Amino acid sequence: MKTNNVLKNVRIRLVLSEADNLYSNENIGSPAEAISVMSELLKSLDREYVCVVNLDIKNRPINYNLVSIGDISSANVPMQNVFKSAILSNTASLMLFHSHPSGDCSPSKDDFTMTEKVIQAGKLLNIPVLDHIIIAGGSGNYYSFRENNLKLFEGPINKKVIKEMVEEKKVAENNKTIRVKCM
């Protein structure tokens, strides 16, 4: 049996199209208003889900995007997944949400690290991150990083955090495993 070693050219084209409003047309001016947009969805999940809500210039939701699905206690959050839909939607700003299925909305050290990285990446891309909200499973209680840690959102770009992000990306790229399926 002889195999054909010709690579095929595949063209992919993404098209954004209008769809029905998902949750709200109202502007989001506070964490409580943000919770009304995503709480019902996130409080009932059995694993950590990370979502981004992309907002227009008047802080009205354009759409939301599921960034990551984790396990019962963590979720991997690649920066490119956070900002992909924001860029494609021509968003003015965004809000990050994630669920804690345990019912405890207290942020972990990893939650703080991820929040700081998302904020810094948003500053580089000129897409402000307005808040990161953790929603507790079952109760819908929440933790707003903006309400509790305003300093994370203020100030210029933190070059140290950006350098760490670049180094992490280089390490991840060098450690990629290539899987080949043999026939």
Side-chain angles (χ1 to χ4, degrees):
M1 181 176 166
K2 188 174 181 178
T3 60
N4 188 353
N5 290 333
V6 177
L7 294 176
K8 293 182 181 180
N9 183 12
V10 177
R11 294 179 191 208
I12 299 172
R13 182 175 168 198
L14 296 175
V15 178
L16 288 175
S17 62
E18 291 296 321
D20 294 334
N21 292 326
L22 296 174
Y23 295 103
S24 172
N25 247 352
E26 301 300 317
N27 106 326
I28 298 175
S30 69
E33 291 170 343
I35 294 302
S36 71
V37 174
M38 294 298 291
S39 179
E40 286 304 311
L41 172 68
L42 292 175
K43 75 179 186 181
S44 63
L45 300 172
D46 65 346
R47 290 169 280 185
E48 281 205 13
Y49 279 63
V50 180
C51 300
V52 63
V53 174
N54 297 306
L55 304 166
D56 69 11
I57 197 74
K58 294 182 179 180
N59 289 345
R60 292 179 303 214
I62 298 169
N63 56 40
Y64 87 95
N65 183 50
L66 178 61
V67 172
S68 177
I69 301 173
D71 57 28
I72 61 171
S73 62
S74 67
N76 185 27
V77 183
M79 287 303 116
Q80 64 270 30
N81 289 3
V82 172
F83 289 96
K84 181 178 182 177
S85 67
I87 291 167
L88 291 173
S89 301
N90 200 27
T91 190
S93 59
L94 64 83
M95 295 185 87
L96 192 67
F97 293 83
H98 88 269
S99 60
H100 275 185
S102 67
D104 180 4
C105 60
S106 303
S108 68
K109 182 180 177 192
D110 288 340
D111 292 336
F112 274 97
T113 301
M114 185 259 297
T115 302
E116 187 170 21
K117 287 179 180 180
V118 171
I119 291 168
Q120 294 304 315
K123 287 179 181 181
L124 280 175
L125 294 169
N126 198 26
I127 302 173
V129 177
L130 300 183
D131 205 345
H132 173 195
I133 297 175
I134 299 171
I135 298 175
S139 68
N141 291 335
Y142 73 90
Y143 179 91
S144 162
F145 278 85
R146 179 169 288 278
E147 284 182 343
N148 293 285
N149 308 282
L150 187 57
K151 287 187 178 186
L152 278 175
F153 296 85
E154 297 176 337
I157 292 173
N158 185 331
K159 293 178 183 176
K160 180 183 174 197
V161 173
I162 299 302
K163 183 177 179 183
E164 290 171 5
M165 290 168 61
V166 169
E167 291 302 317
E168 286 176 16
K169 181 78 173 160
K170 286 179 183 176
V171 169
E173 287 174 355
N174 290 336
N175 291 332
K176 281 187 179 174
T177 302
I178 299 172
R179 296 177 189 217
V180 178
K181 185 176 180 181
C182 298
M183 297 285 206

